[in-house]
Every structure is written in C-alpha cells, then in structure tokens.
Amino acid sequence: MADAKKIVTLITGAERGMGFVEAKTLAQHGQFVFIGAYDMELGQKAVKELKDQGLDVALVHCDITDQKTIDETIKTIDDKFGYLNILINNAGIPGPQDALPTKSTVDQLRKTFDTNFFGTYAMTRAAVPLLKKASYGKILTITSDMGSLGLATDSKSMFSHIISFPYQASKTALNAMTVAFSKEFRDAKLNVTANSVNPGMTATDLVDKELFEKQGAKPVESGAHRAIELALDPKNDLNGTFTEDAGIVPW
C-alpha cells in the first residue's frame, strides 16, 4: 500500500477543461491525482502530459452514469492507497440552453439529471467509505450560480432573467445534496466535509466557447480557482457552504 501521508484526490471529468486544470495544479502541489475520465482517449493524453512533467497522476475510467466504472474507480484507489482525501465532482453536462419549463421535455430533464445529479450522487456515495478512512475527507461539488434559488428570485440579479430549466434544476439539486451530506457528516462527528463550489461563467469545451467568451466568460484557469483553493487548504473546517472566489453564494 502507498504512503499513507500522501494526499489522494479523485477528480471526475478531469481529462479536459476545469478538471484538467485542477488535476495539474493539485499534482504540482504534491497530491496524487486520479484523473477520472469519460473520454479515455483524452484521458490518456492528459495523463501522459502530466506524467511527462513528473507529476503523480493516474487514469481511471469513470463514467459517472455507469455504476460499474464508479465501482472500478473506487476499487483502484482502494487497492493503491486504501483511502481518499478529496473528491472533486467536476463532471457534468450543460443540458439544453435557454430552456423554458414549457418547452423542456421529460427526456431532456432525465438526461441532464442522469449526469449532473444522479451520476454525481452515485460517485459521492461510493467514495464516502474511502473518505472516512483518510485523515480527513473533502467533497467539493462543482455546481453553479445558476442553481442558486436566492439569485434566481432576486430581482436585482441577472439570474432573475435567465431560464435554463434542466441545467438550473440539476445544479439546485446538487446543492441540496451538498447540504444533506454535510449535515450527515456533522451529526456523525466525522472529519469529512461537503461543500458546493461556483466556478462562475466559464468558457469550457462543453459550451460554445466563442459565444461564452463574447458574453464575458472567464477561462478555465479562473473557473477552477476556488475548487483548487479549497482542495489545497490544510484545514477542513468548512462544511455545508456554497462559495465562489468573491465569497458566499446564496443557496
């Protein structure tokens, strides 16, 4: 079994975009990072690039909509280390853009929720036993300010005028998941925490990058900053929060 003092991190959707930036930065700070990839071809390229830089990373096939790959990922980490310090739930899909509730379909909702909510929940639930075995455990779930009910109902907020129903609903559900896990960990007096992170409007490969950049979206390096900051924090005293670089985001 590997050195138990090593900080071990799993990042889903880390073969590109914000997840890749998170993986690279955390590995540069000495963490052992498992790159959870849906696209294994991209994953192999990502791992090679980071290993060529002398970084401690490994590739795992982790399609969060497929319980088998989740279980295999957890087994790989368990076999190598026996514990997990940090899970960054980064994988997700954008869903249909500007979708009104009356124009959305049940199939669109199911597809969006299958990845963004059910898949993320399945991954998180599977990781908890390994997080409990570590000296400390952190769950950092990338959600969105578009999932904030507070901002959506604030007439002074830009989000009061934006409707992208399947995506927004899935991110609101993820925030509810964060709150639920955080209360369970708190009540059980575990050294495991759960927090939601808002990257802000980011030009990732999952959206029309050119359009998003024209609308003021920031690069993936900026979008990844808050999750990296929390992952590198030696303390583990935040639990049940929703934050961004600028501070607290209303639920």
Side-chain angles (χ1 to χ4, degrees):
M1 192 168 291
D3 182 1
K5 294 180 180 179
K6 192 79 171 178
I7 296 174
V8 180
T9 298
L10 167 64
I11 307 174
T12 63
E15 68 265 45
R16 61 184 176 183
M18 286 194 302
F20 179 76
V21 171
E22 291 158 2
K24 180 178 180 179
T25 305
L26 296 181
Q28 287 173 335
H29 281 80
Q31 296 186 13
F32 190 103
V33 180
F34 285 93
I35 291 180
Y38 171 82
D39 185 326
M40 288 297 282
E41 184 176 348
L42 282 180
Q44 288 165 357
K45 291 178 181 178
V47 166
K48 183 181 185 306
E49 179 179 337
L50 298 185
K51 282 189 172 182
D52 285 349
Q53 297 175 33
L55 300 177
D56 283 338
V57 298
L59 177 64
V60 285
H61 182 205
C62 189
D63 173 0
I64 62 172
T65 66
D66 182 348
Q67 187 66 46
K68 181 180 178 182
T69 71
I70 291 175
D71 293 341
E72 289 172 349
T73 293
I74 293 299
K75 185 178 186 306
T76 298
I77 298 171
D78 193 16
D79 288 346
K80 185 171 180 63
F81 288 96
Y83 67 93
L84 177 67
N85 292 103
I86 302 169
L87 167 65
I88 301 182
N89 288 314
N90 175 76
I93 61 173
Q97 298 298 303
D98 301 322
L100 298 172
T102 55
K103 302 297 183 183
S104 301
T105 66
V106 171
D107 285 344
Q108 287 175 334
L109 276 168
R110 284 186 174 136
K111 181 178 179 180
T112 306
F113 266 72
D114 193 34
T115 296
N116 290 359
F117 180 71
F118 291 112
T120 301
Y121 169 70
M123 182 72 259
T124 303
R125 190 174 186 277
V128 167
L130 286 184
L131 291 162
K132 288 181 179 179
K133 291 180 181 180
S135 57
Y136 69 87
K138 295 183 181 184
I139 299 167
L140 304 175
T141 300
I142 309 301
T143 65
S144 172
D145 40 17
M146 288 182 68
S148 165
L149 295 177
L151 292 176
T153 54
D154 180 355
S155 61
K156 297 178 182 178
S157 168
M158 62 176 284
F159 296 100
S160 65
H161 305 290
I162 296 175
I163 305 175
S164 186
F165 178 51
Y167 178 78
Q168 288 175 297
S170 70
K171 293 299 185 177
T172 302
L174 277 184
N175 282 339
M177 184 193 82
T178 289
V179 170
F181 272 114
S182 71
K183 290 195 289 187
E184 179 177 350
F185 298 149
R186 178 201 65 197
D187 294 346
K189 295 182 170 55
L190 298 174
N191 194 19
V192 182
T193 58
N195 293 282
S196 285
V197 179
N198 172 41
M201 188 177 179
T202 306
T204 71
D205 292 333
L206 298 178
V207 298
D208 185 334
K209 292 179 72 172
E210 185 176 345
L211 175 62
F212 266 50
E213 286 168 353
K214 287 179 180 178
Q215 294 174 341
K218 54 190 177 182
V220 290
E221 290 78 11
S222 296
H225 181 265
R226 179 56 178 162
I228 292 170
E229 183 177 48
L230 289 175
L232 291 176
D233 189 344
K235 302 186 298 298
N236 196 28
D237 53 1
L238 286 182
N239 189 36
T241 69
F242 185 17
T243 61
E244 60 185 5
D245 280 338
I248 295 172
V249 183
W251 293 110

